Amino acid sequence: MATSSPAGRILAYLESAKNLTGSACGLAGLALTFTGLAGAYWPVVVAGLYGAGALIAPPSRPSVPGFPDASSRLEALRADFTLLREYLDEVDLPPAAAGRLVELTGLLEGLLAPGWVSEALAADPEGVHALSRAVHQDIPESVDTFVRTRWWTRMTPGSEPPERHLERQLELLHREAEQLATGLREAEARRQQTHTRYLEDRGGH
């Protein structure tokens, strides 16, 4: 509801907890007036009770923004990964680099596959960030830089083959993905060990 205009601010206050609580206390003051307990000072009593009620009411607060959760971010990342695969299918790479790229994308596909693996990944914000960086930045940048550098190398032969850098970059990215997969596996192993200890402690062994 918009509250920037004076009318909007007034309406917002009328609906606020402070006004509702104050009004309830004010009605209690009116009840005292009708019973004769407030006497001639009933306006002061009613106003005082209203003010006291407004003071003790919890302050209004803005709603917390609803950011996407990890599962929805992974779902969007899967769609982006599909676009990346379509782009990579159109690029002509040397056999060695192509092989490393297949290994890398296969590992990423396994990590992003719906199921318990991606559920474990969703509990690791740093892991989701690492995968997002690989899909959105690292892999397309490595491949596109190679394509552009290869054209210049053909124009000026004799320089260092760009595929060496591409192979090294893909190797490093694959190592990062492997470390992420290892971390998830170790987390599951710790979970299993914790459950074993729990059952042992429960059984008194």
Side-chain angles (χ1 to χ4, degrees):
M1 178 186 299
T3 59
S4 57
S5 65
R9 288 194 293 270
I10 293 173
L11 182 59
Y13 179 76
L14 292 176
E15 296 175 345
S16 68
K18 285 185 174 295
N19 180 58
L20 295 177
T21 305
S23 297
C25 292
L27 289 175
L30 288 176
L32 293 175
T33 300
F34 294 143
T35 59
L37 295 177
Y41 298 100
W42 68 267
V44 177
V45 173
V46 173
L49 287 175
Y50 176 87
L55 286 175
I56 64 174
S60 60
R61 59 182 181 84
S63 300
V64 177
F67 296 115
D69 58 16
S71 298
S72 61
R73 290 198 299 271
L74 280 179
E75 189 65 32
L77 187 55
R78 289 188 194 102
D80 294 341
F81 181 67
T82 299
L83 293 177
L84 176 64
R85 293 290 295 267
E86 294 174 357
Y87 159 72
L88 296 175
D89 289 341
E90 298 179 359
V91 180
D92 180 25
L93 299 178
R100 290 192 180 278
L101 185 60
V102 168
E103 294 175 355
L104 173 59
T105 54
L107 181 53
L108 296 182
E109 184 175 14
L111 290 171
L112 287 171
W116 65 268
V117 175
S118 62
E119 290 174 1
L121 178 61
D124 181 8
E126 299 241 352
V128 175
H129 174 70
L131 276 188
S132 177
R133 182 180 58 198
V135 171
H136 295 146
Q137 177 181 338
D138 294 335
I139 297 176
E141 177 68 15
S142 295
V143 174
D144 185 60
T145 302
F146 163 77
V147 172
R148 289 184 282 116
T149 307
R150 178 175 57 179
W151 184 86
W152 286 108
T153 302
R154 290 172 178 173
M155 296 291 292
T156 57
S159 56
E160 183 181 13
E163 53 266 27
R164 291 182 184 174
H165 286 284
L166 177 60
E167 291 171 18
R168 178 58 177 163
Q169 291 166 8
L170 295 176
E171 178 186 357
L172 293 172
L173 291 172
H174 188 272
R175 186 179 304 172
E176 287 185 359
E178 279 186 327
Q179 291 173 350
L180 174 58
T182 299
L184 294 175
R185 177 182 59 80
E186 292 176 348
E188 291 297 329
R190 288 192 297 270
R191 179 183 176 188
Q192 184 186 40
Q193 294 166 5
T194 299
H195 189 58
T196 299
R197 287 194 296 270
Y198 162 72
L199 293 176
E200 290 174 346
D201 294 340
R202 190 177 69 180
H205 299 294

